[in-house]
Amino acid sequence: VAVGVEQATAAAEAGTAQIVICIDECDNKLGTAVLTRMAEVAPEVSVCLVSPSEDKGKTVVVANVVPSHRESLDAREWVQASLAPAGGRGGGKPERAAGQAKNIDSV
């Protein structure tokens, strides 16, 4: 969670609207917790978190899109586009989505 908070804080301070971060070995539940905490410290930054797990042989992707970006960015589409090269799938809502793929090298 600390790494995500650091990245979100840095993005907010730099005026960055969207970031993609990679945190190894993060499951969907932990990924969602990281996004929730990141949204608290950087409420105007949309985030896509990619988490490959060599041990589990899969990659988890979770995304959070803030209200001011929802006209041009959909969390479901962001997750699906991230997972498509690896044959993965995802779903959710326009503001928050998650998914996974078994091929960790293609995401």
Side-chain angles (χ1 to χ4, degrees):
V1 176
V3 172
V5 169
E6 284 178 27
Q7 299 244 351
T9 301
E13 289 172 356
T16 303
Q18 318 167 47
I19 60 172
V20 177
I21 65 169
C22 183
I23 301 175
D24 292 338
E25 305 295 332
C26 189
D27 62 15
N28 190 6
K29 185 176 179 180
L30 180 57
T32 300
V34 171
L35 287 184
T36 298
R37 183 69 182 112
M38 291 174 77
E40 291 170 1
V41 299
E44 290 305 313
V45 178
S46 293
V47 179
C48 183
L49 184 149
V50 179
S51 182
S53 173
E54 297 238 1
D55 292 343
K56 295 178 183 172
K58 66 180 180 178
T59 298
V60 171
V61 176
V62 291
N64 183 62
V65 175
V66 299
S68 60
H69 300 154
R70 290 195 192 131
E71 284 189 28
S72 61
L73 184 61
D74 183 302
R76 295 171 298 198
E77 292 173 3
W78 204 0
V79 167
Q80 291 168 356
S82 299
L83 294 170
R89 296 177 28 165
K93 298 180 179 181
E95 64 273 7
R96 184 164 288 185
Q100 65 182 1
K102 291 190 178 188
N103 183 346
I104 67 170
D105 297 325
S106 298
V107 177

